[in-house]
Amino acid sequence: MTGSTSGARVVPTIDELRGFLAGRRAAGASVALVPTMGALHAGHLALVARARELADVVVVSIFVNPLQFGPGEDLDRYPRTLDADVAALAGLGVEFVFAPAVAEMYPKGAVGTTLTAGRVGSLYEGASRPGHFDGMLTVVGKLLNIVRPDVAVFGQKDAQQVFLVRRMVDDLDVPTSIEVVPTVREADGLALSSRNRFLAPAQREAALTLIEALRAADAAASDGLAEVLAEGAAAFGDHDDVTLDYLVVVDPETFLPVADDARGPAVVLVAARVGATRLIDNAAIALG
């Protein structure tokens, strides 16, 4: 791979980025994309580090995508910290930060053509946030077309998103491989998230309920699905500031709920609201 650079070039337009990448490809370079919405933390930087291992040129996109926010969600509240994000990427070997305005990505305003996430996109996060995954797939599809990376790197924390992106790439024959990096956590187990900054100290402690629920579910996995669901949900019983949205067990191959008598690999998905902040997490388990 090429040597690390001290800083990244911030590129605001599609044409500029395509021009820069055409020059790098002409020199034989491979390209990795790390799609983000900014407010970067150590979890994002782990994706960047993996991208550096996989390709010569790393592109980090920073774009808060309005299509994946529904009415009443935190689009306006979502942190926008471009200067701090670019500083965090300094010295990590990122060559380009693609930071387009909304008008650059959606110049006609309303979008006439979108991707549809299908049945899995209407479950779990999709049930709680209707249209979220259609918007996510649409912007990821646009980014893959703009950057045309050899590989795109995502985090396992967003497990349903990863499943849907992989399926889209497979269904549409997109010539990009998808690399998934394990969830990066704080020392006490809380999954890193850009939304964690909204948690007050007491809420930060209460947010550990999510990882406690996943640990309880894993501990009960040998006893089957009913015990996994019961033990996972029980972890939320003592926290007034935490409201469970869903806790489900899915087949990693289909992302549909497992059968009552299922055995073998599975994924536990959990979402909860801590105060006004919505958090998600997941863990792989072995049922039975």
Side-chain angles (χ1 to χ4, degrees):
M1 303 304 165
T2 57
S4 175
T5 58
S6 59
R9 181 192 294 266
V10 179
V11 184
T13 72
I14 294 169
D15 286 345
E16 286 180 281
L17 182 63
R18 282 177 165 166
F20 289 134
L21 291 176
R24 297 295 282 117
R25 285 196 178 91
S30 56
V31 177
L33 170 66
V34 181
T36 82
M37 292 205 301
L40 303 184
H41 51 65
H44 295 110
L45 302 187
L47 306 184
V48 171
R50 182 60 179 144
R52 282 291 300 149
E53 296 173 349
L54 296 171
D56 301 302
V57 176
V58 175
V59 179
V60 175
S61 64
I62 296 178
F63 179 64
V64 181
N65 175 35
L67 294 190
Q68 63 196 72
F69 289 81
E73 291 192 328
D74 56 355
L75 174 60
D76 294 334
R77 184 172 174 243
Y78 198 88
R80 292 160 172 83
T81 56
L82 180 60
D83 291 343
D85 293 342
V86 173
L89 296 171
L92 297 184
V94 175
E95 195 158 338
F96 302 110
V97 174
F98 179 48
V102 172
E104 177 69 13
M105 292 294 280
Y106 306 119
K108 296 180 181 179
V111 180
T113 302
T114 61
L115 293 174
T116 301
R119 180 184 177 192
V120 172
S122 69
L123 303 174
Y124 328 127
E125 282 300 282
S128 298
R129 306 177 65 189
H132 167 71
F133 285 119
D134 292 354
M136 179 278 295
L137 286 182
T138 298
V139 80
V140 170
K142 284 178 67 71
L143 289 169
L144 293 178
N145 277 324
I146 292 165
V147 179
R148 298 179 185 173
D150 299 280
V151 60
V153 185
F154 293 82
Q156 177 60 31
K157 184 180 79 70
D158 299 298
Q160 190 175 3
Q161 171 179 278
V162 166
F163 174 85
L164 291 169
V165 168
R166 277 179 157 161
R167 190 179 66 180
M168 175 190 72
V169 165
D170 183 54
D171 286 349
L172 301 183
D173 299 309
V174 178
T176 297
S177 65
I178 303 300
E179 178 79 7
V180 181
V181 173
T183 303
V184 178
R185 300 182 179 277
E186 301 278 8
D188 57 10
L190 182 67
L192 292 183
S193 168
S194 299
R195 290 185 168 95
N196 289 354
R197 67 185 64 199
F198 297 137
L199 299 172
Q203 293 172 336
R204 168 64 178 75
E205 184 68 22
L208 293 175
T209 306
L210 278 80
I211 188 62
E212 291 166 0
L214 293 176
R215 288 169 176 162
D218 184 41
S222 62
D223 296 323
L225 177 63
E227 284 299 308
V228 166
L229 296 175
E231 292 300 315
F236 289 87
D238 298 329
H239 298 281
D240 295 335
D241 203 27
V242 183
T243 303
L244 177 63
D245 184 350
Y246 61 79
L247 189 146
V248 295
V249 182
V250 303
D251 183 328
E253 297 300 319
T254 66
F255 240 72
L256 297 174
V258 299
D260 291 345
D261 59 350
R263 296 290 183 267
V267 179
V268 184
L269 308 175
V270 63
R273 191 168 294 278
V274 183
T277 302
R278 194 166 184 282
L279 301 176
I280 63 173
D281 205 344
N282 66 90
I285 64 170
L287 285 169

